[in-house]
Amino acid sequence: MNLRVVVALVSVGKVAMRHVLLALVVLFLVGSDAWAWGDEGHKIVCEIAMRLAQPSTRAEIQKLISTDERFDSFSDSCIWPDHPRQRASEHFLNLPRDSDGLHSEACPGASACVVTAIRKDFDVVSSTSASQAQKLASLKFLGHWVGDIHQPLHVSFEDDRGGNGILVTGECGASNLHSAWDTCLVLKAVGENVNEAATELMKTITPARIASWTHSEPKDWANESFAIAEQAQTKYCIRQGTSCDQPAGKVTIDAAYVVANAPVIREQLQKASVRLAHLLDASLGK
């Protein structure tokens, strides 16, 4: 699609400029491939994390976000690494089809991946020597990476591009499996309103769950996602001995598929939120 956008700016303040930039980004990205959880999933994760974080942490986050030229809230800023796509190789982790999971924070066959990205940007946000601009960028990256690592098809196989090469039919239309998990299934699991979804998901985030979910590290989160990707109900791959192989033909996403996987998506969003809040408190809390 050819797209020409002419914007006349006579006297544009900071807030108006943000709106213009966001509009241009949306227009430019219409029809592009879906990334990560999709914008809504990322916003939900960061919205809940912001609510769960300690007051001093929230104050530090807001101080950083107030200097951003494009975003007014932390939850909105978490989509930044996708618009436009930045540090592309760090949004996911590829594993062999016969892998039994990740045993260290090293990325198999790569110098960087979502696991190492979390550590890298956590260290910058925690740093006492990093500039405010560096900390702001790493804050937005960190929020995004923690969302990415909890999307099961971001810890998957390279040859089908994390399900982008697996077509689907049914309730998510004529798309691919990765896109279905990014957006369609998220909408079916939690609805379209970010604030309402965050409020509803928080109702079942108990102190016991928080304690359980935060006694882990990024490689554990990656292994949880990988286990979900390989589950039979995900229909991402079919177990053949030690290998989990790509299914033949299209995957049908019907009502039963949605019922089976909606609780998984809700819990992954909750886990991501709790763990992100824990990282934010550890890096910015006083």
Side-chain angles (χ1 to χ4, degrees), residues 46-112:
C46 291
E47 175 62 28
I48 296 175
M50 187 70 166
R51 296 187 195 183
L52 291 174
Q54 296 297 320
S56 60
T57 303
R58 292 198 298 270
E60 288 299 312
I61 291 171
Q62 195 52 51
K63 185 189 300 183
L64 288 169
I65 293 297
S66 69
T67 67
D68 196 280
E69 296 181 352
R70 178 171 160 191
F71 299 104
D72 294 308
S73 70
F74 176 53
S75 60
D76 284 344
S77 78
C78 289
I79 70 170
W80 176 66
D82 278 343
H83 303 298
R85 185 77 153 175
Q86 300 176 69
R87 293 166 59 180
S89 66
E90 294 175 270
H91 290 250
F92 55 86
L93 167 66
N94 288 325
L95 292 172
R97 286 197 175 269
D98 61 354
S99 174
D100 62 352
L102 200 63
H103 297 286
S104 72
E105 288 198 357
C107 310
S111 60

